[in-house]
Amino acid sequence: MNFIFGSASGIGRDLYKIYKNKNLDVYGFDKIDSELTDKVVDLGDIKNIDEIVKIISEHEIDSITYCAGIQDSGNITNLFNVNVLSFIEIIKNTQQKFNKTIICALSSIHSKASNENNVEYASSKSSLESAIRTFSTSITNSYYYFLRLGATDTNLLRENVKDVKKLKKSLPSGELFESKKIANLIFTINTEHKELFNGGHIQIDQGVLSRLSTE
């Protein structure tokens, strides 16, 4: 079974559709009820972890892709729970069942360069990256990696970037990455190249960090 957190929108939604179109078993978790949500669950509430772990543990686990994330810093506990702490608890409590399982989490360029308005979000993503690296040091036959994303056309980006046109103009290509292309990349790694990626990361940022230009 391939588990996706954040399956109702963005990259998680597109990845879910790819697994379905390939006739592979897939299961989606999301706070939003949708045709791609198999279990409605709020990752901001750590009390929900036991139920999530029970569901995952009932299956052979081919992959876990953690696309869930929020950027609102109005509730720092909720932000950290969704962006990193729920992920840690889920992996800690299911990894004994991993067998050549690949685990991917989506991070952000804000983990490396951000601004004073985004310190909570940036810190949560830095913590997520640290967790992935730590899990990857376990003596295991499974694989952990993360994607550090920037300039990708997702709901999260559009909800938090005030001027998308201005952002596009600042990019060398003048365009945002499509979430479907990121989902295709994750699927290819998860199904064809997972042995290469334990402890690794892929940075897809359109040169944003190199230009030290984040919004």
Side-chain angles (χ1 to χ4, degrees), residues 27-47:
Y27 192 104
F29 295 92
D30 205 289
K31 186 177 180 179
I32 300 170
D33 191 11
S34 76
E35 61 180 354
L36 307 181
T37 305
D38 296 287
K39 178 64 179 178
V40 177
V41 64
D42 182 5
L43 295 170
D45 188 347
I46 296 294
K47 291 185 292 185

Side-chain angles (χ1 to χ4, degrees), residues 165-174 206 208 211 213:
K165 289 184 179 180
K166 180 181 177 182
L167 173 61
K168 287 182 178 181
K169 288 180 180 179
S170 73
L171 301 173
S173 68
Q206 293 233 49
V208 171
R211 295 174 61 158
S213 175

Side-chain angles (χ1 to χ4, degrees), residues 182-202:
I182 304 298
N184 270 306
L185 174 62
I186 294 171
F187 177 81
T188 301
I189 293 171
N190 287 1
T191 56
E192 298 181 25
H193 306 296
K194 59 185 179 181
E195 295 87 355
L196 301 176
F197 281 89
N198 187 47
H201 77 272
I202 302 172

Side-chain angles (χ1 to χ4, degrees), residues 117-136:
N117 297 320
N118 245 347
V119 63
E120 295 91 349
Y121 176 73
S123 298
S124 72
K125 288 301 185 180
S126 294
S127 299
L128 178 65
E129 293 185 9
S130 179
I132 286 285
R133 291 194 182 97
T134 302
F135 281 128
S136 72

